[in-house]
Amino acid sequence: MTVVALVLAAGQGSRFGSDKRRATLPEGRSLLAHSVERALGVFDEVRVVLRDGERAEDFHLPADCRVIHSPDAALGMGHSLAAGAASLIDSQAQAVAILLGDMPWIAPQTLRALTAAASPSAILFPLHDGQRGHPVLFGRDFWPELTQLTGDEGARAVVQANRDRCITLEVADAGVLRDVDTPAALNL
C-alpha cells in the first residue's frame, strides 16, 4: 500500500520567538529541511504545506518535495491541513501520513512500521509509553473530511467523529512525542 507524506509547516510558531522552521539543528541543517529529508527517506512522495508565497528554496528543501500553499495558514492548523488534503486529489496513495515540520526526530523505522500498518479505512496513531504521537496516518476514506477542516485544532474533529476506526501501533520511538516549541528543545 502506498502512503503519501504531508508535512505541515505553515504555522506561526509563536512560542519559539522566531521562524523555527529555519532554526539550525546541531548537525547544521534547518529544522524543516531535516524533517522533510527524513520523510523523503521513507515515503515515495512528500508534500510540504507552506504559507502563501513561500518556496522550497526559501528553506533549502530538497527539490523532490512538492510545495502546497495554504492561503489561510494564519487562521490555524486546520486550514493548512485542509489545503494539504485538497492537494491529494491527484494522488493514488491509499493513506496520508500527517507529519509536523517541527518533529525531526521520528525514526525512519517508525515511519516504515506505520506505513506498513496503514489502511484506507483507518486512522493510525503511533503509541509510545501510553501516549499518542505523530505522525497520524489517515486512510483515503477520511480525505474528504480533512479537506473541510478549519480553525486551530488540526484533525481532532475527524478523529473524534471516527473513534471506532482509530487504531494505535506501539512504538519504542520517543521521537513520535518530541516537537520543538522553544529554542532549548533543539538541543535536548
Side-chain angles (χ1 to χ4, degrees):
M1 187 174 84
T2 57
V3 178
V4 59
L6 189 62
V7 181
L8 300 182
Q12 301 302 311
S14 55
R15 289 180 288 184
F16 192 81
S18 62
D19 190 345
K20 69 179 168 182
R21 301 171 298 173
R22 299 177 194 278
T24 305
L25 293 173
E27 68 269 7
R29 288 180 291 171
S30 75
L31 176 64
L32 181 56
H34 183 85
S35 297
V36 171
E37 288 168 11
R38 178 74 45 111
L40 280 167
V42 174
F43 299 97
D44 292 332
E45 183 181 6
V46 176
R47 300 178 187 206
V48 182
V49 181
L50 297 175
R51 299 175 203 149
D52 248 358
E54 294 179 331
R55 304 169 310 151
E57 302 82 42
D58 298 339
F59 301 96
H60 307 289
L61 299 180
D64 47 354
C65 70
R66 180 172 160 189
V67 170
I68 307 301
H69 290 105
S70 175
D72 297 321
L75 299 176
M77 185 189 297
H79 294 274
S80 296
L81 184 47
S87 82
L88 298 174
I89 192 135
D90 65 355
S91 175
Q92 298 302 309
Q94 294 300 303
V96 61
I98 308 298
L99 294 109
L100 305 181
D102 66 351
M103 295 186 74
W105 297 290
I106 301 168
Q109 61 266 30
T110 299
L111 296 174
R112 285 187 198 97
L114 289 164
T115 297
S119 159
S121 59
I123 299 171
L124 175 63
F125 291 89
L127 191 68
H128 179 73
D129 283 345
Q131 293 182 13
R132 285 202 286 192
H134 287 87
V136 179
L137 282 71
F138 289 87
R140 191 174 189 96
D141 292 357
F142 305 97
W143 293 4
E145 290 176 74
L146 294 176
T147 66
Q148 302 303 309
L149 294 171
T150 59
D152 200 31
E153 290 196 356
R156 186 172 295 151
V158 177
V159 170
Q160 289 177 343
N162 296 284
R163 286 186 184 155
D164 59 326
R165 294 172 74 189
C166 292
I167 58 174
T168 58
L169 178 67
E170 185 74 40
V171 299
D173 181 4
V176 302
L177 303 176
R178 187 174 168 207
D179 65 351
V180 176
D181 286 331
T182 65
L186 291 170
N187 301 313
L188 295 177

